[in-house]
Each structure stands twice: as C-alpha cells, then as structure tokens.
Amino acid sequence: KLLGRGCLKEVEHVEIAEPCSWLPEVLSKLPALRRLRISGAPQGRDEADVEWALSSILSVATQLTALDFSYHGFRAPSGSIYSWPKTPALRKLTVQQMPLSLWDLPGLFSAHGLEILELQACPLTESQMGIVHCGARVHPKEVRMIGCGGKMALTLLLSMGLSRLCYLCVDDVADAKLQEELSKACRPS
C-alpha cells in the first residue's frame, strides 16, 4: 500500500538483514534507490538461498551506485551455478566472505566508473590466476583486499587499470605473493 501511495519514492538506501521473497519486486519500485546492503541470515537461523540475494541485486542493478554484499549466512543450492550480476553504475562495491570465480569478475568489472573496491575473504576459486581483459576499463581510486589470497590480489591488479589508483590495501599473504611475482618480473634475463 505504501508503494501505491508513493510514500517510498524518495528512498535512497536500503539495508536488508534477512531475505524475504517479495523484496526484489519492492526494490525495483524504488526509483531513488542508489545504495543497497545485503546480509545473509543471522547466526543461528537457516542460511538463505544466494539466488534470492542475486535477484535482489539484479532488480536494481542499473541504478545502484553503492553495493555492500556479505555472503555470510547464505548458501548456494546444490548443483546451482550463479554468477555475479552486472551493476554498471556502481561507484563503490564491498563484497565479504564470498569465493569468486574468474567467471564472476566480468560482472564485477561491468562497473566502469568503479572508484572503491573492497573485498574481504573473497578468494579466487580457480587454482590458477588469470587476467580478465574487460577489467582494463575499470580504474578504481581505492582497492582493499583482505583475506582474499595472493591469486585474487594478483588477478585483480593485473586485470584492472591502475592509472587512478591512490590507495591499495592488502594483507600479508597477498603482499608476499605480489612481492614474489614482482621480483620475478624485475629479475635481469
């Protein structure tokens, strides 16, 4: 009823602490929505289906400028294949506790105007790192990768454009991997 009266047309920021089936439809009817935060089920409750969270993001993907997603409290149904949704208008993206595949990175890199990328406990699922070519269009100012591992750090840094990078924060494991790879590249032939 509130949507029908236009009472929520100015809502710019929504935080979701627990999934509800009707939420993607409601989100899609909030024209001013720019910032979304999604968390999984609280501790002690059944984990939520990650498909619900991704459909919530997709329902507003073109209008979001900031997204904070925590995979903790979610689960992927057995045998399901999902990929990170494209969110082209994002300026800030925070993802926590979600293993990511090389196939997810093009979705992350769809935000060509991304200024801040924060990944916490988001390891690369593949055994090898790689360069994701569409990442070259993304030139963030700030990148934080904590608990993501050296493979993820190297993959992201080799894939993204770094011409605007002012701030880089990585943990000790990622730093060691980056130093190792840089020293190999700088060795005289």
Side-chain angles (χ1 to χ4, degrees):
K1 289 184 179 187
L2 290 174
L3 282 171
R5 295 182 187 154
C7 296
L8 302 176
K9 68 181 180 181
E10 301 299 321
V11 172
E12 293 181 10
H13 185 159
V14 172
E15 294 192 22
I16 305 161
E18 208 170 337
C20 12
S21 60
W22 46 264
L23 192 63
E25 183 181 346
V26 170
L27 290 175
S28 70
K29 294 179 181 176
L30 301 176
L33 182 64
R34 298 295 175 264
R35 296 184 312 274
L36 179 61
R37 182 167 195 232
I38 298 179
S39 300
Q43 199 164 10
R45 291 202 134 140
D46 290 342
E47 292 181 322
D49 186 340
V50 73
E51 292 291 335
W52 166 87
L54 297 176
S55 66
S56 293
I57 294 168
L58 277 172
S59 70
V60 290
T62 58
Q63 65 196 65
L64 289 180
T65 58
L67 174 61
D68 184 335
F69 179 76
S70 176
Y71 186 75
H72 182 73
F74 283 105
R75 63 167 164 65
S78 179
S80 70
I81 298 174
Y82 60 88
S83 61
W84 188 259
K86 292 183 178 183
T87 46
L90 280 185
R91 298 288 178 251
K92 180 179 181 187
L93 174 61
T94 302
V95 182
Q96 300 172 38
Q97 301 175 341
M98 182 173 190
L100 294 168
S101 163
L102 287 171
W103 299 107
D104 291 316
L105 297 182
L108 291 179
F109 292 148
S110 69
H112 297 168
L114 190 67
E115 295 181 3
I116 300 170
L117 175 61
E118 299 175 351
L119 299 178
Q120 182 178 8
C122 297
L124 193 62
T125 58
E126 281 83 7
S127 60
Q128 294 187 341
M129 40 201 164
I131 295 175
V132 181
H133 296 287
C134 62
R137 290 182 243 138
V138 178
H139 296 266
K141 291 181 180 179
E142 296 180 25
V143 175
R144 288 179 191 88
M145 290 179 278
I146 307 298
C148 299
K151 291 185 305 182
M152 177 61 90
L154 203 55
T155 294
L156 284 179
L157 292 175
L158 289 174
S159 298
M160 293 185 298
L162 303 177
S163 61
R164 295 184 343 144
L165 189 66
C166 299
Y167 180 80
L168 173 63
C169 179
V170 296
D171 59 24
D172 292 342
V173 172
D175 183 53
K177 182 67 172 174
L178 292 172
Q179 295 297 330
E180 175 189 334
E181 293 298 324
L182 287 172
S183 69
K184 286 180 192 175
C186 295
R187 280 188 204 139
S189 307

